[in-house]
Amino acid sequence: MAQVTTPPTIRLFNTMTMQKELLQPSVPGCVGVYVCGPTVYSYIHIGNARTFTSFDVVVRYLRYRGFQVRYVRNFTDVDDKIIKAAQETGEAPVALAARYVELFREDAKALHMLEPDVAPKVSDHLPEIIGIIQKLVDKGFAYASQGDVYFSVSADKDYAKLSKRHLEDLCVGERVQPGDQKREPLDFALWKAAKPGEPAWESPWGPGRPGWHIECSAMSAKYLGETFDIHGGALDLIFPHHENEIAQSESANGVEFAKYWMHCGFLDLEGAKMSKSLGNVVRLRDALQRVDAEALRFFFLSTHYRHPLSFSDKALADAEARMEYFYETLRKVDERLAGKDFGDGPLHGDPHRFLAEFEGAMDDDFNSAGGLGALSGLFGLMNELTDKPPVKDKALVGRTLRALREDVRKVSGVLGLFEDDSGAWLLRRRERAVRERGIDVAEVERLLGERTAARAAKDFAAADRVRTTLKEKGVEIMDTPAGTTWKVAAAQG
């Protein structure tokens, strides 16, 4: 008889109910996830990247815990911002959007994001979009006006249930667009009549293009069904985008749209929310010229996804230093384990407790910060066992290190960290630091040769003088069982 396993008890914070809830998918063992993807009119900034990385880890962890996940993240490739950007560059809007779709994919890959199962584009789903608009018109939730089609907010008695806003307090603004063809100020466009020089498609209301919100209702229904499990995005999408998605979808289909709503906190730059519209952005592509991709992922994951995160050069430097510590530890452990067979048998203490702590943190609303705390304990034990083992039994120590190293591999698949060869990562880190600090590598190697000769001659005073000289140049020496290596010391201050 097959062993019956207990489903994992993952709790997540639901923006709709403003509390943590047990994840109970509509189909047991299967989770549908829809995340609002980029509007492709420019490079993504690191605030976007933080959101997409957070949901990348959510999907990875759900799969790690045994769920079958269907992950959908769309591309908005038909939009006012795209048209404006195309007018400025002289490109066709569709061509500009297609170019930025590919640039986004390059950036996402550089940051170790998994490809979603489906990455639909608005321009490929006009029949589905027109179909749901027609349903809304037929049911009296939408109306045509001079080639436009608008959703009638007053027809939806549950409108604003996600954002908890009162209609009487809402006013035109905050991405709520005014329009002469509307019946009411809060009504929003489902379809926009064609204008000269803009992309357009035929529809029952005349040539035009979709409004912003309707695309996600149409594409999520096509790939996940009229009701699915998790809908995600950044906090600034709660109103009006996600609010309008709910209104459209539930009015058209008569069923609950999404069971759980997850929203990622803002990334702050000098105390202000990062936004392309505000002009205070750091492009992901530029950030990756300054910091290693895994270090940037570590920075994103070091704070709970729902909390604000402050971006600074010091935060990046701290993240890269921490990743350097992790990779130096892995190099030591891999050198200790290479080519050795420690056999089977007992382990020292309970090394798997750190993996259990990691899973406990992630089960609690995907708390990556807590998970990284558990990981610190795991790496601390690996360093203790390699540097100052508390027991003399080398086989026992080896088996324990082997078990810990395997747990790191499991965590790596969830966090998208520690995926590189430790030696290759450390070499890249050193090369970047050498360039930034202007260190003469040939001079360092010459001095290391003098030190090796002095140590061979047992002239330890001379060897120490070389170490001091290198330290003054910003170089730290490390003597390992595999030989002497060096790195650029952390900058002071």
Side-chain angles (χ1 to χ4, degrees):
M1 180 180 294
Q3 183 180 2
V4 177
T5 59
T6 303
T9 54
I10 295 176
R11 301 184 68 83
L12 69 163
F13 186 86
N14 187 353
T15 308
M16 181 67 75
T17 61
M18 297 300 291
Q19 64 185 12
K20 291 180 185 178
E21 299 178 9
L22 180 66
L23 175 61
Q24 295 179 304
S26 299
V27 178
C30 301
V31 181
V33 179
Y34 187 95
V35 173
C36 290
T39 301
V40 283
Y41 68 98
S42 182
Y43 295 96
I44 65 165
H45 60 67
I46 56 173
N48 305 139
R50 191 238 177 147
T51 296
F52 299 138
T53 300
S54 296
F55 286 104
D56 180 69
V57 170
V58 167
V59 169
R60 286 170 178 259
Y61 188 67
L62 289 171
R63 288 173 174 158
Y64 168 82
R65 292 297 263 160
F67 290 101
Q68 293 183 20
V69 180
R70 185 167 173 79
Y71 176 31
V72 181
R73 188 189 64 216
N74 73 298
F75 286 108
T76 298
D77 66 341
V78 178
D79 184 80
D80 293 342
K81 295 177 181 177
I82 296 170
I83 294 170
K84 182 175 183 293
Q87 290 170 345
E88 293 171 354
T89 63
E91 292 178 83
V94 173
L96 180 138
R99 178 163 63 86
Y100 278 111
V101 164
E102 294 311 311
L103 291 170
F104 172 85
R105 286 186 166 129
E106 289 177 9
D107 287 348
K109 183 177 180 180
L111 200 55
H112 298 187
M113 292 186 210
L114 300 175
E115 271 289 314
D117 297 296
V118 188
K121 301 176 186 176
V122 176
S123 59
D124 294 333
H125 293 79
L126 270 297
E128 292 84 359
I129 290 170
I130 291 170
I132 194 171
I133 295 174
Q134 187 65 64
K135 286 176 70 174
L136 289 166
V137 171
D138 293 344
K139 289 188 172 187
F141 288 101
Y143 57 92
S145 178
Q146 301 180 45
D148 293 344
V149 181
Y150 293 93
F151 184 90
S152 177
V153 167
S154 62
D156 179 10
K157 303 307 179 186
D158 290 330
Y159 188 78
K161 64 182 179 180
L162 180 68
S163 60
K164 317 297 188 294
R165 300 189 180 203
H166 299 289
L167 293 186
E168 58 269 22
D169 297 331
L170 293 172
C171 59
V172 176
E174 192 183 356
R175 302 178 83 177
V176 177
Q177 300 297 318
D180 294 337
Q181 291 76 40
K182 293 182 180 183
R183 294 176 183 169
E184 299 291 340
L186 286 176
D187 294 351
F188 57 89
L190 303 173
W191 188 260
K192 298 182 178 182
K195 295 179 181 178
E198 294 185 354
W201 291 263
E202 291 299 325
S203 80
W205 315 282
R209 58 188 173 86
W212 175 32
H213 315 293
I214 193 66
E215 63 187 71
C216 293
S217 291
M219 292 188 287
S220 63
K222 178 173 182 178
Y223 296 106
L224 296 174
E226 294 178 351
T227 298
F228 60 93
D229 299 303
I230 297 175
H231 196 315
L235 274 176
D236 59 349
L237 296 183
I238 294 176
F239 186 88
H241 184 52
H242 287 166
E243 201 71 78
N244 292 351
E245 283 186 57
I246 294 169
Q248 298 161 166
S249 296
E250 296 189 355
S251 297
N253 301 322
V255 294
E256 182 181 33
F257 179 39
K259 295 185 65 175
Y260 307 96
W261 289 86
M262 296 178 64
H263 292 94
C264 188
F266 295 129
L267 195 151
D268 298 334
L269 181 65
E270 297 180 353
K273 183 195 82 170
M274 191 170 296
S275 165
K276 281 184 280 193
S277 61
L278 295 175
N280 61 334
V281 301
V282 175
R283 300 190 312 184
L284 172 61
R285 186 158 291 208
D286 294 335
L288 292 177
Q289 296 299 312
R290 297 160 51 188
V291 65
D292 175 78
E294 288 192 53
L296 186 58
R297 272 188 79 101
F298 178 87
F299 166 67
F300 290 153
L301 301 177
S302 63
T303 298
H304 191 283
Y305 76 89
R306 286 193 289 112
H307 298 167
L309 179 60
S310 296
F311 179 87
S312 68
D313 288 336
K314 183 181 184 305
L316 292 185
D318 289 347
E320 195 154 45
R322 193 63 177 157
M323 286 301 301
E324 185 174 40
Y325 160 79
F326 289 139
Y327 268 116
E328 285 176 344
T329 302
L330 292 177
R331 179 173 63 182
K332 288 192 300 184
V333 171
D334 289 343
E335 288 173 353
R336 183 68 60 88
L337 297 177
K340 296 184 177 68
D341 181 5
F342 301 103
D344 297 325
L347 305 177
H348 175 66
D350 180 19
H352 294 305
R353 70 185 184 276
F354 298 109
L355 182 61
E357 289 174 12
F358 173 81
E359 292 174 351
M362 294 295 291
D363 282 351
D364 184 13
D365 196 27
F366 307 98
N367 183 2
S368 60
L372 289 172
L375 207 59
S376 293
L378 189 157
F379 274 83
L381 180 55
M382 285 200 295
N383 271 300
E384 179 185 5
L385 291 171
T386 52
D387 297 341
K388 296 180 180 179
V391 293
K392 295 182 179 180
D393 187 336
K394 292 184 178 180
L396 177 64
V397 170
R399 286 194 298 271
T400 307
L401 281 172
R402 186 177 62 195
L404 290 166
R405 186 65 178 90
E406 185 56 35
D407 285 350
V408 171
R409 290 188 178 92
K410 293 177 182 177
V411 170
S412 173
V414 173
L415 300 180
L417 301 175
F418 323 122
E419 294 185 338
D420 206 344
D421 172 77
S422 57
W425 191 96
L426 291 166
L427 180 59
R428 285 200 308 274
R429 159 76 165 153
R430 190 174 79 180
E431 288 173 345
R432 186 187 304 112
V434 162
R435 291 194 301 270
E436 292 172 352
R437 303 274 285 277
I439 292 173
D440 186 338
V441 175
E443 176 68 3
V444 171
E445 297 293 349
R446 184 186 67 77
L447 288 170
L448 284 176
E450 290 183 5
R451 179 174 179 269
T452 299
R455 282 161 58 91
K458 300 192 183 299
D459 188 351
F460 299 113
D464 288 342
R465 285 194 296 272
V466 172
R467 179 186 285 274
T468 300
T469 299
L470 287 169
K471 184 176 181 181
E472 292 170 351
K473 293 178 180 292
V475 173
E476 181 180 339
I477 297 173
M478 296 165 289
D479 294 314
T480 74
T484 299
T485 185
W486 63 276
K487 68 177 183 177
V488 179
Q492 299 299 312

